[in-house]
């Protein structure tokens, strides 16, 4: 090993590993962190108009997709790398892995690199619960959780922490997934009911969360299953060709979305005509539009995940690792003493 | 510090720091690495048609730009993060910093994260020289290097290593930049001539390289300065509003470009009508189109930098760090034993 040159502070980018992300979560407390993240997401939805918004940049293959999700508020720039490979699970790999970066718009220099597989799970659940706070019927106590994969426990705890849900009714076509979810939720204070059909799961539930991962058009909820007055939190329909709900449900619901140009391609509403009416969530959160207007109304959050939610999560991590040991610094940026003398820096490293 | 959980090999991403990139360069030798990179870029230009190609995704601000440059050959996916902030130099920062990532298309899992500030400098120079090998007049010995900033030494050495250039004639409006470049090139075997005007620099040169960085339309070469039979390697005009050459030069030249949809917006040809004729370089390299057709012709490489060149550089680094200590592994991907049990992994980390 040659002698290492010492980079200056400008060349170092704070990095949060998977291990350190888990330490941060346990330091803050999972439910508290879900509440905090929901607050950061809510704040950014309130200033939605000032963000640079663009549909994600996707590279599709036969077996999955790799996406970049950039956005900027004019002061900070963030992006997430995320893949979606439903077949991975059968090979012992994650369907979704992710990492993200935050940079300073004024200099273009990165200021944070972090794992985002776990952080995405948290921000997705926090966003769902923040939205349900606006749309679910008042006094909701029970959620049906259909699809008991990697997102299910986070959804359940976020709805508990942020909306006051006390009971979850679990269903998955694979009973082993339900058993795993139920075991993980034991001791969290949630009343957990294991169900053997979607019909059983939605009995008495005011919030119906669907989160299944097949890359295909499926019907987890059929039209006749959904009665008046519920809030549907549809997580799993999030790329072209992948839906979970019968079109008839969409027709009877008021549909709320993050960013219409993306949701019309990726969400449940890809099944509907291009001019199918939707409400942008940020307008509900600022008060410009009405959320739930009656007890009988079916509200539907057609969640696909948007770059601004990742940006909020990146901001949260940047703010909360300051002065902590939940990160270490990566020598990722070349920083010559004379900015025009990159070559000289490389040459001097030979010594 | 709590006890760390041990991630599996799948969760670890090889990371090449700035320090290790410099060690790799000195291990291989700078001129050899420039030749190797030119070979990788040439190979990827030969299979140009099978790449996913998209103009870079740019986020502009008043003071600069942050870009993501993704591409894929169907087996590997790569992207580069790069900023361009001309005002940074006056604040002691780099105009351009970059890092990049390579991933496996089949799983979506990242397989390499690397600094790319230095690597971009090398791949840009290697691409210029690879292109000059096809377009410059036979037996070229002398290059004018106009603009003596961070890219100038790499351009000079790549033209030496790949095209057999023996002399460089340096000019910059700032004599200190020229002095720095001359000092860095001392002892490399190049005959270096310090010039005090662009006119003096181009005397007797068969290759004219321009690489100036102002984010504005400028005229480094005016029409009457450029005579018959030269090859112009125009590096600096690479974003909207930033050009270096008089339009008259373009009219008299045969212009060669990387990816027309990007070059028409960012390159020297942004000054010309939309249907201004250009030749795609990959077609010259496969033999489908003619490069230099006469001794009198002016050839012009309107270089803006394309994602495939970064992909080539990422492939090179991946191939050359195997079995070496030029990288370390980052715990960047969450990898639960049961892929559906992300929550359980997080919970177990609390112990």
């Amino acid at each position: 090993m040659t002698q290492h040159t010492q980079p200056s502070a400008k060349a170092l980018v704070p990095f949060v590993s998977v291990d350190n992300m888990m330490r941060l979560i346990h330091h803050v407390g999972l439910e508290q962190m879900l509440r905090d993240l929901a607050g950061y997401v809510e704040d950014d939805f309130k200033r939605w108009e000032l963000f640079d918004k663009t549909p994600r940049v996707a590279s599709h293959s036969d077996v999955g997709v790799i996406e970049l999700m950039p956005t900027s508020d004019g002061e900070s720039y963030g992006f997430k790398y995320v893949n979606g490979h439903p077949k991975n699970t059968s090979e012992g790999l994650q369907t979704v892995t992710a990492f993200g970066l935050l940079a300073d718009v004024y200099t273009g220099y990165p200021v944070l690199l972090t794992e985002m597989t776990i952080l995405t799970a948290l921000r997705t659940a926090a966003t769902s619960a923040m939205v349900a706070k606006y749309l679910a019927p008042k006094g909701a106590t029970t959620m049906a959780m259909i699809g008991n994969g990697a997102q299910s426990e986070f959804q359940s705890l976020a709805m508990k922490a942020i909306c006051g849900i006390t009971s979850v009714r679990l269903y998955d076509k694979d009973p082993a997934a339900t058993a795993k979810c139920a075991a993980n939720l034991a001791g969290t204070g949630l009343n957990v009911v294991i169900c053997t059909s979607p019909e059983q799961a939605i009995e008495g539930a005011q919030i119906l969360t669907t989160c299944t991962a097949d890359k295909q058009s499926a019907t987890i909820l059929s039209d006749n299953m959904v009665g008046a007055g519920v809030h549907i939190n549809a997580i799993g329909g999030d790329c072209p060709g992948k839906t979970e709900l019968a079109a008839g449900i969409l027709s009877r619901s008021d549909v709320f979305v993050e960013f219409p140009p993306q949701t019309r391609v990726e969400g449940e509403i890809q099944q509907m005509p291009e001019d199918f009416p939707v409400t942008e969530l940020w307008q509900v959160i600022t008060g410009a539009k009405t959320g739930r207007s009656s007890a009988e109304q079916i509200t539907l959050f057609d969640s696909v995940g948007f770059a601004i939610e990742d940006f909020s999560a990146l901001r949260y991590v940047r703010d909360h690792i300051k002065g902590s040991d939940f990160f270490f610094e990566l020598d990722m940026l070349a920083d010559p003493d004379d900015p025009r003398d990159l070559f000289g820096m490389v040459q001097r490293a030979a010594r």
Side-chain angles (χ1 to χ4, degrees), chain A residues 89-108:
Chain A
T89 307
S90 66
E91 297 168 8
L93 299 174
Q94 284 281 293
T95 297
V96 171
T97 67
F99 71 91
L101 182 111
L102 203 65
D104 177 14
V105 167
Y106 181 72
T107 62

Side-chain angles (χ1 to χ4, degrees), chain A residues 206-265:
Chain A
Q206 298 89 17
I207 299 176
L208 317 183
T209 295
T210 56
C211 190
T212 59
D214 285 335
K215 193 178 179 176
Q216 60 184 33
S217 298
T219 305
I220 309 302
L221 293 182
S222 58
D223 196 10
N224 62 356
M225 288 168 65
V226 177
V230 300
H231 173 62
I232 303 174
N233 175 38
I235 305 297
D238 63 355
C239 74
K242 186 170 158 221
T243 58
E244 299 180 314
L245 305 183
I249 297 173
L250 301 175
S251 305
R252 293 191 292 127
S253 304
D254 286 303
V255 176
F256 297 83
V257 305
E258 292 143 316
F259 183 56
Q262 186 175 300
T263 312
R264 289 195 189 278
V265 176

Side-chain angles (χ1 to χ4, degrees), chain A residues 254-290:
Chain A
D254 286 303
V255 176
F256 297 83
V257 305
E258 292 143 316
F259 183 56
Q262 186 175 300
T263 312
R264 289 195 189 278
V265 176
E266 301 176 354
E268 294 299 330
I269 57 170
Q270 67 186 272
Q271 307 176 60
M272 307 307 277
E274 260 182 54
D275 59 352
F276 182 78
V278 298
T279 303
E280 293 189 59
L281 277 164
W282 70 272
Q283 296 188 297
V284 175
I285 289 162
T286 61
K289 293 272 173 76
T290 306

Side-chain angles (χ1 to χ4, degrees), chain A residues 2 24 46 54 61 65 125 135 138 189 226 236 286 325 340:
Chain A
T2 58
L24 175 65
K46 283 181 183 161
T54 173
S61 71
V65 62
L135 299 181
K138 287 274 167 284
V226 177
T286 61
D325 67 348
R340 290 178 307 194

